[in-house]
Amino acid sequence: PPDIEDARKQALGRSMEALKRIQQNPELFDSIARAESACPSSKEAGRLGQISRRQTLPAFEAALVKMKAGEISAAPVATQ
Protein backbone atom coordinates (compact mmCIF):
# COMPACT_ATOMS: atom_id res chain seq x y z
CA PRO A 1 0.00 0.00 0.00
CA PRO A 2 1.13 3.57 -0.70
CA ASP A 3 0.97 4.58 2.97
CA ILE A 4 3.44 1.86 3.91
CA GLU A 5 5.81 2.82 1.09
CA ASP A 6 5.66 6.48 2.11
CA ALA A 7 6.39 5.56 5.72
CA ARG A 8 9.34 3.42 4.65
CA LYS A 9 10.76 6.22 2.50
CA GLN A 10 10.43 8.66 5.38
CA ALA A 11 12.06 6.22 7.80
CA LEU A 12 14.93 5.62 5.39
CA GLY A 13 15.46 9.36 5.02
CA ARG A 14 15.56 9.84 8.80
CA SER A 15 17.90 6.85 9.14
CA MET A 16 20.27 8.15 6.49
CA GLU A 17 20.37 11.58 8.12
CA ALA A 18 21.04 10.09 11.57
CA LEU A 19 23.76 7.83 10.14
CA LYS A 20 25.41 10.78 8.39
CA ARG A 21 25.48 12.71 11.67
CA ILE A 22 26.94 9.70 13.51
CA GLN A 23 29.60 9.15 10.83
CA GLN A 24 30.62 12.80 11.11
CA ASN A 25 30.75 12.66 14.90
CA PRO A 26 30.68 9.10 16.36
CA GLU A 27 30.61 10.50 19.91
CA LEU A 28 26.99 11.52 19.24
CA PHE A 29 25.85 7.91 18.70
CA ASP A 30 24.26 7.61 22.15
CA SER A 31 22.27 10.83 21.96
CA ILE A 32 21.19 10.27 18.34
CA ALA A 33 20.14 6.68 19.08
CA ARG A 34 18.08 7.83 22.06
CA ALA A 35 16.40 10.61 20.07
CA GLU A 36 15.94 9.03 16.64
CA SER A 37 15.63 5.26 17.02
CA ALA A 38 12.23 3.58 16.82
CA CYS A 39 13.80 0.43 18.27
CA PRO A 40 13.33 -0.49 21.94
CA SER A 41 17.14 -0.23 22.20
CA SER A 42 16.78 3.57 22.05
CA LYS A 43 16.31 3.49 25.83
CA GLU A 44 19.79 1.96 26.04
CA ALA A 45 21.35 4.48 23.61
CA GLY A 46 21.20 1.92 20.80
CA ARG A 47 23.09 -0.76 22.69
CA LEU A 48 21.72 -4.18 21.85
CA GLY A 49 23.62 -6.21 24.41
CA GLN A 50 24.61 -9.76 23.56
CA ILE A 51 22.67 -11.18 20.62
CA SER A 52 22.57 -14.81 19.57
CA ARG A 53 21.85 -16.17 16.11
CA ARG A 54 18.16 -16.26 15.14
CA GLN A 55 17.35 -13.75 17.89
CA THR A 56 16.77 -10.88 15.41
CA LEU A 57 15.22 -10.50 11.98
CA PRO A 58 17.20 -12.25 9.20
CA ALA A 59 18.17 -9.02 7.37
CA PHE A 60 19.46 -7.49 10.59
CA GLU A 61 21.36 -10.63 11.54
CA ALA A 62 22.98 -10.83 8.10
CA ALA A 63 24.29 -7.28 8.44
CA LEU A 64 25.29 -7.78 12.06
CA VAL A 65 27.45 -10.87 11.51
CA LYS A 66 29.54 -8.94 8.96
CA MET A 67 30.42 -6.26 11.52
CA LYS A 68 33.00 -6.05 14.28
CA ALA A 69 32.08 -5.13 17.84
CA GLY A 70 31.65 -1.37 18.11
CA GLU A 71 31.51 -0.88 14.36
CA ILE A 72 28.85 1.43 12.91
CA SER A 73 26.98 0.11 9.88
CA ALA A 74 27.77 1.82 6.57
CA ALA A 75 24.05 1.92 5.73
CA PRO A 76 20.71 1.47 7.48
CA VAL A 77 19.33 -2.06 7.49
CA ALA A 78 15.68 -2.36 6.46
CA THR A 79 13.75 -4.66 8.77
CA GLN A 80 10.09 -3.89 9.57
Side-chain angles (χ1 to χ4, degrees):
D3 290 346
I4 292 174
E5 280 304 311
D6 288 344
R8 287 180 190 212
K9 287 179 185 177
Q10 290 175 9
L12 179 59
R14 288 190 308 271
S15 298
M16 293 296 292
E17 180 58 33
L19 180 58
K20 180 179 175 183
R21 291 171 33 217
I22 291 168
Q23 289 170 333
Q24 291 172 346
N25 192 348
E27 295 79 29
L28 294 178
F29 183 94
D30 289 8
S31 62
I32 292 170
R34 285 183 196 277
E36 303 292 337
S37 179
C39 177
S41 71
S42 65
K43 295 174 186 165
E44 301 298 326
R47 289 181 180 77
L48 301 174
Q50 186 170 343
I51 297 175
S52 301
R53 289 196 183 263
R54 292 181 293 284
Q55 192 176 356
T56 64
L57 295 169
F60 189 79
E61 182 175 322
L64 192 62
V65 298
K66 295 177 184 176
M67 297 173 64
K68 297 176 186 171
E71 184 178 356
I72 297 170
S73 177
V77 177
T79 53
Q80 292 183 348

